[in-house]
């Protein structure tokens, strides 16, 4: 899987945790650590095209946890 899609999935999961489980600090930290490690694989650009979240021009599946939260926040 392309590292940009992995980053987008991890970012969406972290955002979901922050919005829906603000007291779950340990899982938030773990999610952030994964995200930091993924950033070492290369640059990632997140963008919206309509309602579609794109990571380095690759479409991110909308059914993944937090993707709808990311698109809502970016809107």
């Amino acid at each position: 899987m392309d590292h940009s899609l992995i980053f987008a999935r991890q970012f969406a999961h972290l955002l979901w945790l922050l919005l829906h489980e603000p007291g779950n600090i340990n899982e938030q930290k773990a999610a952030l650590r994964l995200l930091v490690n993924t950033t070492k694989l290369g640059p990632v650009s997140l963008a919206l095209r309509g309602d579609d979240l794109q990571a380095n021009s690759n479409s991110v599946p909308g059914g993944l946890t937090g993707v709808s939260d990311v698109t809502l926040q970016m809107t």
Side-chain angles (χ1 to χ4, degrees):
M1 181 182 289
D2 186 293
H3 79 280
S4 64
L5 293 176
I6 294 169
F7 176 89
R9 183 185 65 189
Q10 292 171 340
F11 181 79
H13 180 69
L14 175 60
L15 181 64
W16 186 89
L17 285 169
L18 292 169
L19 292 173
H20 300 283
E21 295 188 17
N24 196 345
I25 303 298
N26 289 332
E27 195 167 341
Q28 291 171 8
K29 286 180 182 179
L32 183 57
R33 284 185 194 103
L34 284 173
L35 192 61
V36 167
N37 285 331
T38 303
T39 62
K40 296 174 184 176
L41 298 174
V44 177
S45 174
L46 295 178
L48 281 181
R49 292 226 170 109
D51 290 335
D52 186 38
L53 180 62
Q54 305 263 310
N56 289 357
S57 300
N58 296 311
S59 183
V60 180
L64 296 174
T65 301
V67 171
S68 62
D69 291 315
V70 173
T71 57
L72 182 62
Q73 292 298 314
M74 290 179 76
T75 302

